[in-house]
């Protein structure tokens, strides 16, 4: 009686290692595909809905006002967006005139959250008229407001410029820049934490006599 010979154990172990390696490579490829198509972190989006100056005072070549900005923030990720160290900064003629910290919070996966910020801006001097560049009103494609064309000098008070729904208004105007940033993190699969930022910058045109917002472009 002839007994069957068993294959060498070394050859069997090699084949098993090759099969296991191929399986692991295939698994890693699948995980990477899923990560980059489904779970790859994306920066949240800020959409500015409205900007208002509820109170406004001008005199002695200086101005003070209350600034309000209303936005919606969309989190396109499949994980919660936790934001912290977030701010709104106001600039006039290249200098900061207002600043506010935004309280920390969370926006759930795929959700859009409404946010409002209001703070007082202390009195600051207006730029001299001869320091402001001449501005021209031009329509921005796809926008609902009219804003100033490219400036060639320091932002200041300009004459004869109107915008938005106040196209018949004639008089001095001023322009301020609003910069909003939400800094935070996305934790993918509750394991990997990634830093993300949501930013928005708007140029706001304001009537110099009563603080009406003539238009803004973000």
């Amino acid at each position: 009686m002839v007994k069957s010979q068993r294959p060498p154990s070394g050859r069997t172990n090699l084949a098993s290692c090759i099969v296991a390696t191929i399986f692991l490579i295939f698994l890693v490829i699948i995980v990477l595909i899923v990560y980059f198509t489904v779970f790859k972190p994306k920066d949240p989006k800020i959409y500015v809905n409205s900007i208002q100056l509820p109170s406004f005072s001008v005199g002695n070549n200086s101005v003070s006002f209350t600034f309000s900005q209303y936005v919606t923030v969309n989190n396109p990720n499949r994980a919660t967006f936790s934001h912290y160290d977030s701010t709104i900064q106001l600039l006039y003629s290249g200098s900061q005139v207002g600043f506010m910290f935004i309280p920390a919070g969370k926006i759930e996966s795929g959700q859009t959250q409404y946010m409002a910020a209001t703070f007082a801006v202390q009195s600051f001097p207006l730029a001299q008229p001869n320091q402001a560049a001449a501005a021209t009103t031009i329509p921005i494609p796809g926008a609902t407001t009219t804003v100033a064309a490219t400036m060639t000098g320091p932002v200041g008070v300009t004459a004869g410029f109107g915008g938005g729904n106040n196209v018949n208004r004639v008089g001095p105007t001023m322009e301020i820049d609003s910069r909003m940033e939400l800094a935070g993190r996305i934790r993918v699969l509750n394991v990997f934490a990634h830093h993300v930022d949501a930013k928005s910058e708007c140029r706001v045109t304001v009537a110099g006599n009563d603080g009406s917002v003539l238009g803004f472009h973000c």
Side-chain angles (χ1 to χ4, degrees), residues 7-42:
S9 59
R11 186 175 302 176
T12 302
N13 293 337
L14 178 62
S16 299
C17 290
I18 293 174
V19 171
T21 301
I22 294 174
F23 174 78
L24 290 176
I25 293 175
F26 179 77
L27 183 62
V28 169
I29 293 174
I30 294 298
V31 170
L32 290 176
I33 292 174
V34 172
Y35 175 80
F36 283 106
T37 57
V38 179
F39 295 103
K40 182 181 180 180
K42 305 178 184 68

Side-chain angles (χ1 to χ4, degrees), residues 136-140 145-149 161-164 175 203 205 215-217:
T136 305
T137 57
I138 58 173
I140 301 298
T145 58
T146 303
V147 297
F161 171 64
E175 292 188 343
R203 172 64 58 87
T205 304
F216 62 90
H217 179 62

Side-chain angles (χ1 to χ4, degrees), residues 6 17-18 32 87 94 96-97 107 119-120 132 134 136 150 192 196 213:
R6 301 175 60 185
C17 290
I18 293 174
L32 290 176
T87 59
Q96 178 178 298
V97 295
I107 303 177
F119 57 95
T136 305
T150 302
F192 306 104
V196 293
V213 176

Side-chain angles (χ1 to χ4, degrees), residues 1-215:
M1 183 176 179
V2 179
K3 297 183 179 179
S4 60
Q5 296 182 348
R6 301 175 60 185
S9 59
R11 186 175 302 176
T12 302
N13 293 337
L14 178 62
S16 299
C17 290
I18 293 174
V19 171
T21 301
I22 294 174
F23 174 78
L24 290 176
I25 293 175
F26 179 77
L27 183 62
V28 169
I29 293 174
I30 294 298
V31 170
L32 290 176
I33 292 174
V34 172
Y35 175 80
F36 283 106
T37 57
V38 179
F39 295 103
K40 182 181 180 180
K42 305 178 184 68
D43 288 338
K45 303 297 182 183
I46 298 177
Y47 302 95
V48 180
N49 302 320
S50 176
I51 294 176
Q52 300 176 3
L53 273 62
S55 65
F56 184 87
S57 176
V58 60
N60 297 324
N61 202 37
S62 63
V63 63
S64 61
F65 53 84
T66 301
F67 182 84
S68 296
Q69 182 165 300
Y70 306 91
V71 306
T72 50
V73 183
N74 175 255
N75 175 20
N77 296 280
R78 292 181 176 271
T80 300
F81 170 48
S82 302
H83 59 84
Y84 49 86
D85 293 337
S86 304
T87 59
I88 292 182
Q89 181 185 25
L90 290 184
L91 300 175
Y92 172 73
S93 193
S95 300
Q96 178 178 298
V97 295
F99 185 85
M100 176 183 177
F101 281 109
I102 300 173
K106 296 182 178 181
I107 303 177
E108 298 299 326
S109 168
Q111 297 298 309
T112 298
Q113 182 172 308
Y114 175 83
M115 301 179 69
T118 298
F119 57 95
V121 176
Q122 301 300 318
S123 179
F124 60 88
L126 293 170
Q128 295 299 321
N130 59 2
Q131 292 180 319
T136 305
T137 57
I138 58 173
I140 301 298
T144 58
T145 58
T146 303
V147 297
T150 302
M151 305 294 286
T152 57
V155 178
V157 178
T158 60
F161 171 64
N165 298 322
N166 300 274
V167 294
N168 295 323
R169 183 191 297 272
V170 177
T173 64
M174 60 177 288
E175 292 188 343
I176 55 178
D177 293 314
S178 169
R179 297 177 181 175
M180 180 176 181
E181 179 177 6
L182 294 176
R185 65 173 179 267
I186 299 291
R187 190 175 295 277
V188 179
L189 300 176
N190 293 321
V191 177
F192 306 104
H194 296 269
H195 180 83
V196 293
D197 286 311
K199 297 180 180 181
S200 173
E201 183 170 350
C202 300
R203 172 64 58 87
V204 187
T205 304
V206 180
N209 56 345
D210 60 4
S212 300
V213 176
L214 304 179

